Amino acid sequence: QVQLVESGGGLVQAGGSLRLSCAASGSGRTFSRYAMAWFRQAPGKEREFVATISWTGGNTYYADSVKGRFTISRDNAKNTVYLQMNSLKAEDTAVYYCAADGGGSWPFRSESQYKYWGQGTQVTVSS
């Protein structure tokens, strides 16, 4: 089992930045062997893919809506994955979820490709 805890969400003005963190713990395969991702769910909408990173950190993939503004990274020594969000827009307002153990065909963009999920952290961007 893997436990994921997100942090770093909050209220920010449009154009601002936030950095989300997702700390992993638990038994089983080590964190460094998991592909990781961020998803988000806005009010009244379905959860959608944001970004994913391979277990080595050498490969990343982004949703078109965040490409060039968000950066996913990981620190395997700290069992943590990050999402740096710049140039935030009101439409980025959502609960952001961390997901672990992606598998199947790269890029891992589907919710069904991940085994473990965090509880989410709220990001609110005021316009």
Side-chain angles (χ1 to χ4, degrees), residues 44-103:
K45 295 187 177 181
E46 294 186 351
R47 190 154 55 183
E48 65 175 3
F49 167 78
V50 175
T52 183
I53 187 167
S54 62
W55 63 273
T56 65
N59 292 299
T60 58
Y61 188 86
Y62 298 91
D64 288 343
S65 58
V66 306
K67 200 173 297 181
R69 299 188 298 121
F70 290 10
T71 302
I72 189 170
S73 62
R74 66 189 298 158
D75 185 340
N76 287 342
K78 295 182 178 180
N79 288 356
T80 301
V81 64
Y82 304 98
L83 185 68
Q84 178 66 45
M85 305 186 294
N86 298 328
S87 303
L88 283 161
K89 305 175 182 179
E91 50 263 44
D92 295 319
T93 295
V95 177
Y96 283 71
Y97 297 91
C98 175
D101 200 9

